[in-house]
Amino acid sequence: MSAQVEEIRLNLGHIELAAHLFGPADGIPVIALHGWLDNANSFARLAPRLKGLRIVALDLAGHGYSEHRPAGASYALADYAHDVVRVAQQLGWERFGLLGHSLGAIISVQLAGALPDRVSHLLMIDGVIAPTGVEQDAAERLGMALQAQLRLDGKRKSVYANLEEGVEARMKGMVAVSREAAELLAQRGLMPVPGGYSWRSDSRLTLPSPVRLSETQAMAFVKRVKCNACLVVAADGMLARHTALLEQLPFEQVSLPGGHHLHLNDEHGATLVADCINRFFGFP
């Protein structure tokens, strides 16, 4: 396939999202969803290596060049799933594949379980279900979330004197990435502000979730997935230590060397993940 990428914008009525478009027009339709606080450039190394796919790599709401949700709104997983269905509707895709990393993988599983007849393929990179909670903690969790929302009103985003400082901050983030990965994410993530640069992402993305599914509820989405599904587990990533969860999953699993962003951190990792995805879609 061509390595060329096209920048597009999708007006969904309730929000406008930015995206990268890869691959031949007659390829298998796939919507790619990045991880938390990342953007469409999460797939900049991976997508050009994939064969026979028409990939729309979104900037999720509140990330990259996409719009933020309106005042008073939040970033619930169900709202992301709604955005994806609207994107498919606008593109005229009745059935489509999902390629998700981390948060994007979680959204993909929920959507594939909620609307199993709409999703043709499910490919997950080091993510599968959101952190779960227990029923007796529900009130405490909501209280914590409400307090965090109120505190956010008085906070200001970090401002970096130059682009290099912003890149270094991303390298040392909650999930560390390579310099090359941070530079790619910064292309869509950093914006000029008075005094330097700041990340475009909506500050509300850092708020704790007011509600968590129980493990039974989370696994209900997994069990309703009908399509072929494959989970790439990064050997040094976030899922590898959750062996009890991995043993419950009905999906094909492939373990690959690398960290949580193995598809983005370097060329070798991108090639390994691409080879896995190409085999999964039947393009050796």
Side-chain angles (χ1 to χ4, degrees):
M1 70 175 257
S2 169
Q4 291 184 339
V5 57
E6 179 184 350
E7 181 81 27
I8 62 173
R9 296 196 68 83
L10 299 157
N11 192 327
L12 309 183
H14 64 288
I15 197 168
E16 185 173 275
L17 302 183
H20 274 164
L21 182 61
F22 298 88
D26 61 350
I28 297 172
V30 174
I31 298 174
L33 308 175
H34 61 77
W36 178 63
L37 298 181
D38 291 342
N39 54 58
N41 264 5
S42 178
F43 301 102
R45 277 181 156 152
L46 179 62
R49 290 173 159 83
L50 302 181
K51 304 173 183 178
L53 307 182
R54 182 65 160 175
I55 300 171
V56 173
L58 297 177
D59 283 339
L60 292 171
H63 298 76
Y65 292 142
S66 286
E67 289 185 343
H68 296 184
R69 297 215 188 277
S74 62
Y75 288 88
L77 291 172
D79 294 324
Y80 285 126
H82 174 236
D83 293 342
V84 175
V85 173
R86 289 289 186 184
V87 166
Q89 183 179 47
Q90 185 168 133
L91 296 170
W93 293 353
E94 181 59 30
R95 280 173 58 80
F96 50 90
L98 290 169
L99 166 59
H101 169 242
S102 194
L103 169 64
I106 294 167
I107 298 165
S108 297
V109 169
Q110 290 210 344
L111 182 51
L115 298 175
D117 294 329
R118 297 291 307 274
V119 180
S120 62
H121 303 79
L122 175 62
L123 197 293
M124 300 148 282
I125 302 174
D126 217 44
V128 61
I129 63 171
T132 56
V134 293
E135 294 176 358
Q136 56 265 37
D137 292 341
E140 182 180 358
R141 168 155 289 277
L142 177 56
M144 176 183 66
L146 291 173
Q147 290 175 332
Q149 285 177 316
L150 295 175
R151 288 195 301 268
L152 190 65
D153 293 340
K155 289 186 177 179
R156 296 185 63 187
K157 280 189 173 184
S158 298
V159 176
Y160 306 99
N162 51 55
L163 290 170
E164 177 62 20
E165 286 188 10
V167 168
E168 290 181 356
R170 182 61 188 88
M171 289 171 62
K172 301 171 185 176
M174 185 177 295
V175 180
V177 298
S178 69
R179 175 173 295 278
E180 293 82 1
E183 288 173 345
L184 284 167
L185 295 172
Q187 289 176 11
R188 297 179 75 79
L190 283 175
M191 63 179 180
V193 296
Y197 294 85
S198 187
W199 288 89
R200 297 179 188 275
S201 51
D202 192 332
S203 297
R204 289 174 291 176
L205 293 168
T206 64
L207 293 172
S209 170
V211 177
R212 280 188 175 176
L213 298 179
S214 68
E215 184 175 340
T216 300
Q217 289 173 317
M219 291 302 294
F221 289 93
V222 170
K223 293 175 181 177
R224 273 177 52 89
V225 173
K226 288 184 179 179
C227 63
N228 289 338
C230 180
L231 170 62
V232 173
V233 179
D236 299 314
M238 300 179 69
L239 277 182
R241 62 183 180 271
H242 294 286
T243 54
L245 169 62
L246 294 176
E247 289 171 357
Q248 295 181 61
L249 300 175
F251 309 141
E252 174 189 353
Q253 297 179 36
V254 179
S255 179
L256 294 177
H260 186 56
H261 286 77
L262 73 167
H263 65 299
L264 180 64
N265 274 332
D266 55 51
E267 298 292 338
H268 179 63
T271 298
L272 290 177
V273 177
D275 289 347
C276 175
I277 295 174
N278 286 330
R279 287 193 300 269
F280 174 71
F281 279 97
F283 297 109

